Amino acid sequence: MASSTAHHPSVAQQAEIESFQDHLSKSTRILALLGAGLSASSGLPTFRGAGGLWRTHDATDLATPEAFSRNPGLVWQFYSYRRHMALKAKPNPAHYALAELARQKDGFLTLSQNVDGLSPRAKHPEDRLKLLHGSLFDVKCFEFFCNYVERNNYTDPIVPALAIPTSEEDPTTTSALAVRELDISDERVYIPELDYEHLPKCPKCKRGLLRPGVVWFGEALPSGVLSDIDDWMKQKGKVDLIMVIGTSAKVYPAAGYVDAARAKGARVAVFNMDPNDVPASGLYEGDWFFQGDAAQILPEILKPVIGELKEMPDAAAEQDDAVTDG
């Protein structure tokens, strides 16, 4: 539902939108590359870039196998917090729009760099969604010789010791409203040190600790996912379109998919808040850049193919028809 303050595109902008919609309607093989900007409307912090601190720790320093070996309790506290925040967030209309596009277009494949679980929770068809960096809600055994993996574990907390601490505003009342969660990303909030006994154990080998099923720094992207994408790219026929949504697409190997799609004939459509966030190879004549919040503009731009979105339980943002092209 468009807000009453919605910005209506200019004639030139409308022409760009219609040009994209015409190309989309004729396209059969389509890629989407998703980044953290897609989930911004769902209110999730990214912990990347300047100021990416969690308590006193650089968040990227916690995202390594070495950090887990040194202090698995601390790493699990960080990831349990991220799981908790992601579960409190809701998929936004852009997640639902892309899920519906996957149902409408058989040749549509989505490559997501996000680990937040919002695309799966928006019922994006599983076989059309490739998670390049894994998921916060997959867990696997940290032992080298154990291959245990569990998908879509939404238990929060995953073990009791990782429960978010709470504070009673008024100790004289038992009302649920008087209890609030403490923000453990704030270093002033006390959290205990956790050892092996407190942490999730592997049910298969009975020896190893479970770890988050995300790709840490220094680790390879999941081979099965990369193989599936390569098989899709090698299919006969051109790639018609790649949509780059909420990501600068400047970091490889994700950025390489823009180049690979171009090499097979694809035109590029970028959806981003920052006008400087264009793919590493730039924009070519015939490409599109739509500046704005993906949660607002994607459902509108995709409407000729996906129709009006109806099934959006607890969507995190309202649709708007604000679209700006560059």
Side-chain angles (χ1 to χ4, degrees):
M1 184 176 186
S3 71
S4 58
T5 57
H7 165 72
H8 294 278
S10 68
V11 173
Q13 292 163 356
Q14 190 61 39
E16 285 291 296
I17 293 166
E18 290 173 2
S19 164
F20 169 79
Q21 290 172 332
D22 180 63
H23 185 73
L24 175 68
S25 67
K26 297 173 184 172
S27 297
T28 54
R29 301 192 69 226
I30 306 164
L31 276 175
L33 178 63
L34 313 182
L38 174 65
S39 298
S41 288
S42 296
L44 284 181
T46 62
F47 297 111
R48 293 298 298 270
L53 293 178
W54 187 77
R55 298 179 71 85
T56 58
H57 309 278
D58 185 323
T60 57
D61 289 343
L62 298 176
T64 68
E66 294 77 17
F68 192 80
S69 293
R70 274 195 311 271
N71 194 337
L74 176 65
V75 172
W76 255 119
Q77 283 167 326
F78 171 57
Y79 279 97
S80 183
Y81 171 80
R82 291 187 64 187
R83 281 165 59 99
H84 183 71
M85 298 302 288
L87 285 172
K88 284 174 66 173
K90 305 291 185 185
N92 65 55
H95 293 106
Y96 288 103
L98 291 166
E100 185 58 31
L101 186 61
R103 285 187 280 271
Q104 297 291 337
K105 293 277 190 179
D106 290 341
F108 177 47
L109 185 67
T110 297
L111 320 180
S112 179
Q113 301 170 84
N114 298 335
V115 298
D116 52 38
L118 292 176
S119 290
R121 285 169 58 201
K123 301 294 189 287
H124 197 113
E126 191 175 343
D127 61 336
R128 313 277 181 82
L129 178 65
K130 301 302 172 183
L131 301 178
L132 293 167
H133 296 166
S135 168
L136 290 170
F137 302 102
D138 294 344
V139 289
K140 58 186 181 180
C141 185
F142 191 61
E143 280 288 312
F144 183 77
F145 292 106
C146 184
N147 62 1
Y148 178 78
V149 178
E150 181 184 356
R151 306 285 182 202
N152 301 322
N153 179 317
Y154 293 109
T155 304
D156 181 36
I158 192 168
V159 290
L162 289 167
I164 302 294
T166 58
S167 172
E168 287 191 10
E169 299 289 283
D170 180 356
T172 65
T173 179
T174 57
S175 166
L177 296 175
V179 178
R180 65 180 176 88
E181 290 181 344
L182 298 177
D183 179 8
I184 66 169
S185 67
D186 185 338
E187 64 186 278
R188 294 169 297 181
V189 173
Y190 170 77
I191 53 174
E193 284 192 28
L194 301 181
D195 58 23
Y196 175 87
E197 293 306 315
H198 298 109
L199 298 175
K201 313 293 191 308
C202 176
K204 182 178 180 182
C205 72
K206 313 291 187 187
R207 184 179 57 188
L209 289 176
L210 294 178
R211 55 157 281 185
V214 297
V215 177
W216 281 333
F217 293 102
E219 294 183 325
L221 299 188
S223 58
V225 169
L226 297 183
S227 177
D228 288 347
I229 299 169
D230 287 345
D231 289 346
W232 189 92
M233 295 293 291
K234 289 173 183 173
Q235 289 174 18
K236 287 183 179 178
K238 64 180 290 191
V239 176
D240 299 294
L241 174 68
I242 180 167
M243 298 188 294
V244 180
I245 304 164
T247 175
S248 64
K250 287 183 167 67
V251 178
Y252 287 85
Y257 290 119
V258 178
D259 300 332
R262 273 199 203 282
K264 295 205 72 173
R267 294 171 71 177
V268 177
V270 177
F271 300 80
N272 212 308
M273 294 288 284
D274 185 343
N276 298 312
D277 266 353
V278 297
S281 53
L283 292 175
Y284 295 7
E285 186 175 352
D287 291 341
W288 300 271
F289 186 97
F290 298 107
Q291 184 181 354
D293 181 349
Q296 295 179 334
I297 65 179
L298 263 182
E300 292 294 325
I301 283 186
L302 299 181
K303 194 180 286 186
V305 173
I306 67 172
E308 192 80 47
L309 287 176
K310 294 182 176 64
E311 292 298 318
M312 292 194 299
D314 303 319
E318 290 187 2
Q319 290 182 64
D320 197 317
D321 62 2
V323 179
T324 308
D325 79 280

